[in-house]
Amino acid sequence: MAVAELEPPLAERKDSPSPQHRGPGPDAPFSLTQLSSWDRITLWVLSAMAAVLSLWNLTGAPSYQDDEGTYTAQAFAVQSGSLAPYTYWYDHPPLGWIQIAGLNWLPTMLGLGDGTAIGATRYVIAAFFVASALLLYMLARRMKVRIPFAALTTVIFVLSPLSLVLGRQIYLDNIGVPWLLLAFYLALSSRDALWHHVCAGICFAVAVLSKETLAIFGPALLMALMYRPRWSNRTFSVVGFLTVGGLMLAFYPLSALLRNELLSGPDHVSLQDALSYQFLERSGSGTIFEAGSSRAELLAGWLYFDKYLIAAGLAAAVLCILRKQSRVLTVAILSFAIPIVLGQGYLPAMYIIGVIPFLALALGTGVDIAWSGLEKLGKNRPHHRRPLRSAFVAVLCSALFLMSVPQWFEQDRDLLTAETNANWRQTLNWVQDNVSRDDVVLAPYSMWYDLNSSGWNDAWTMIATEKPDLDKQFESVHPGGWQEIEWVIVGPSVTSNIDSLGLSRAASALKHSTTVQSFGEWSIRRVDPPASPQSTER
Amino acid sequence: MPVSVLASALVVLIALALFAIALSTLYLNTYAWWDPKTQIRTSYSGLQASESCSFSLIMPCRNEREDVMRATLSALLAQTHSRKEVIISVGHDDPETVQTAHKLAREFPDFVRVSVDVSETKNKPRQLNKALSMCRNTVVGVFDAESIAAKELLAHIDSVFAAKNADVVQGAVQLINYRDTWYSLRNCLEYFTWFRSRLHAHSRQGFIPLGGNTVFIKRELLNEVRGWDGNCLAEDCDLGVRLSTLGRKIVVAYSPELVTREETPDTLKALVRQRTRWSLGFMQVFAKGDWKNLPTRKMRAIAWWTLMQQHFMAFAGVCIPVAIFAAVWGGFPLVVTLIAFLPLVPTLATIAFDICMLQEFGRDHKFTISWYDYFRLIVGTPIYQLVLAFSALRALVKFIRRDFGWEKTDHSGSHLSYIDTAVAAPVRP
């Protein structure tokens, strides 16, 4: 090499570890390029565990949801060059399902997912789940949590029924979470390297463009970046993080602007309308303190799946204040919880997904903090050290046992063995076999893509339940209104959707239909419009 | 249909090329800050106990004012290093400067001598070559007529030669009269990024165009390669390229308190002329093709990219808005239009980092940077970019016409007023 840069002065080089000492020492910052053998083994074991738990009976349970069908359908729409099979109305930034579109051709090609599109797409989500699990371990290690407790963090994340149930489904939150964790991992980079912090900004922007609610972790992330002793590149890091992250985010409003859909106006959807719907107009979920409000019910639902993780995680978040580098977790959980506790606006059911890794991380860190306290105690009383340690391990193990065995075991076993989509599948098969491809059918979104792609190939002949009422295009394709609908497929959530969204056309079609075939909670109904043509309901 | 697809593909291709250029600019400009360790690695390594080399300092002058020359010379004579001589290099067709040079030489007969170049065509490399023949010491250094060297510079350079066993040491130059004109702030910052960051990145890549000032080369080596190229307008860049190709060890060092301080060209016209000369010089070096002798394909690619950088940068700044405009109003698919916006991300990020650098520039040199200065920096960027692009274009026209005349930059000495008030910052730990 012709040219050399100056190397650090000799005095400084002496401080660095001597060359014969291979591998990082006990206090070395965690880095993927210099893994200790224990870290390596743990990572392998955890990834195997996360992969098995997320893939096992993936298409059997939980049952397919409408949202899953929506994102599957939108991902396939991306592959054919549009953002959604219907009018894209800025309900969410599209990067989440664009990522699915980039990946789900693979399980489809391999014939995974029982031959259904929605099943195949769940395999993509499984990959994101495994990534989250591993990033969680790496993040815990970067926050100086000891190996066993860092592993515990991931084990809790992977085994908690709340996390496992939601983590197997095709939700945008599941796509955003690994990006969010990666952003935290990079922001906490021990090298203070500018490009790590710029990449943290990019990852956060990707997370928010996958699911906008993850933006709630912005303050915690900024704190993770800044909350440490001053380093020479600090201004550069903060400016780089904010600028590059902000510019990436700007592509969302920019794309709306270019489609002339940024601001509200007649005859077109707009980002402004979508935002004011999501934040202002959408019927609120009530307060958490009001019994029977949908917010309280939602919280009860989350607690049903795993009250232990939520309660213990919140308690651990308080404990995390004690250690400087883990205060970020307290802030993250706090800023997540504030809208739930104080807000009254619409609370989406998947909102919890974002905080699960932080609850698990707070728990792992809390245990680590407690262990550190114990070690300190043991230093002063050397003869008590052993019994103290044993007692700690015993208490921890029994707490975990109590936590996991009755509730976790039961629920996880259900998840790994139940076959909850049998009726869905029979309904799908029946419609495919018995309904003419020329008939106009109303189908729940969970089944929509698989039906449409089995011969209809027309979003306005095979129609998702919500669209006759919510997409203006219906009127131009079906000027006859609901009476042009010939079949209605009813799944478990159809009637409640019709009620909550006020879908009058779907309601009329349903009212004038009779059941032809049913499978459990699924039924296929034929619409018989009233004989008198003067009916003006449209 | 195929025409529109072709047009889309073209827009995407151009956007991606602009993105690569903007990203490379961002990388080079911020290289020094990528990692705190880089800052340590790129600074001087401390003083050695004893002096190991002696210096012959060449000071090329042409149509220079006496006070400017005197200030430069006294900074060289005030060096703490004990073994030095100064050779004032002038041309025989410039009698006033010759007279001033002789006057100064008479005042310091032990240290200063005058070299008068009598060749037909006048330019800096020829003056340097003539002066080189008079040099007696082991290391030859070049200082422009208006450059104020830091007092301890030679002592530190000496230590770098000894500690690193270097063949060439490139010190840093900093323009400092940032308040004078709208473009001077941009120009000062350009030097700041060049010597603080970009040169170190080039050095890391193993291919480096040297600067023409505060550069130190072993005299024997310089004689071996027959000095500077007398026909090249970027003789400094050319020398760097030839020495890189020979595999010689070139060390770049930066420390804010050891920078050589200079002034910006005093008119916009002078700036355009200076940039045209540099661009033309880079084109000459590129056309000479010495870089093709580099050992690996990768290094040749880096060399190609480095020599083309000036032009890429100039045109990218102008092309990005044009590309966006074309994409928005050309009725392309949304994805294509969004890709056209992509180069804007690194470009705007570069400007954001410029703000951080301006802050650091002010801190290093004890200047109070006001909000107005930050504002001026941002607003001035697109216009400055236009000036650079115009100069590059002008150079291209001259290159095609084979017009390689030397357009000299005049010096008004406005930086001297900054040096009186600004004392070099103390050494930071």
Side-chain angles (χ1 to χ4, degrees), chain A residues 1-9 12-13 83 191-196 198 231-233 235-237 239-241 243-244 247-248 251 254-256 258-259, chain B residues 31 33-36 39-44 164 200 203-204 206 244 247-253 328 334 337-338 341 345 348-349 352-353 356-357 359-360:
Chain A
M1 178 118 328
V3 202
E5 274 182 292
L6 290 164
E7 283 153 35
E12 198 167 343
R13 249 182 290 168
L83 286 175
R191 272 176 56 196
D192 294 342
L194 175 58
W195 71 272
H196 287 176
V198 170
W231 72 101
S232 58
N233 292 352
T235 324
F236 283 80
S237 283
V239 166
F241 172 84
T243 312
V244 178
L247 285 169
M248 297 278 294
F251 272 77
L254 175 69
S255 67
L258 290 169
R259 292 157 68 111
Chain B
Y31 171 78
W33 293 273
W34 276 127
D35 196 321
Q39 305 235 339
I40 300 165
R41 198 175 55 225
T42 53
S43 71
Y44 286 88
K164 304 291 163 198
H200 299 286
S203 151
R204 180 96 190 202
S244 292
R248 293 313 187 127
K249 187 164 184 180
I250 304 174
V251 176
V252 184
V328 171
L334 182 68
T337 314
L338 286 177
F341 275 90
V345 175
L348 294 179
F353 285 125
C356 304
M357 288 177 204
Q359 186 203 16
E360 201 156 305

Side-chain angles (χ1 to χ4, degrees), chain A residues 492-524:
Chain A
S493 58
V494 164
T495 42
S496 63
N497 272 353
I498 287 175
D499 282 349
S500 65
L501 297 171
L503 307 174
S504 61
R505 287 189 178 123
S508 303
L510 187 64
K511 204 172 86 185
H512 296 99
S513 64
T514 47
T515 303
V516 176
Q517 180 64 264
S518 63
F519 302 98
E521 69 277 39
W522 285 83
S523 59
I524 299 119

Side-chain angles (χ1 to χ4, degrees), chain A residues 464-486:
Chain A
T465 312
E466 295 83 6
K467 295 304 168 182
D469 289 284
L470 299 183
D471 194 324
K472 287 214 174 81
Q473 214 186 322
F474 178 83
E475 289 161 34
S476 53
V477 187
H478 294 291
W482 68 268
Q483 283 155 319
E484 293 192 16
I485 298 167
E486 292 164 279

Side-chain angles (χ1 to χ4, degrees), chain B residues 22 49 84 96 168-169 197 206 216 283 287 411:
Chain B
K84 67 217 168 218
E96 278 180 47
V168 180
V169 178
S197 181
F216 300 89
M283 287 175 191
H411 305 128

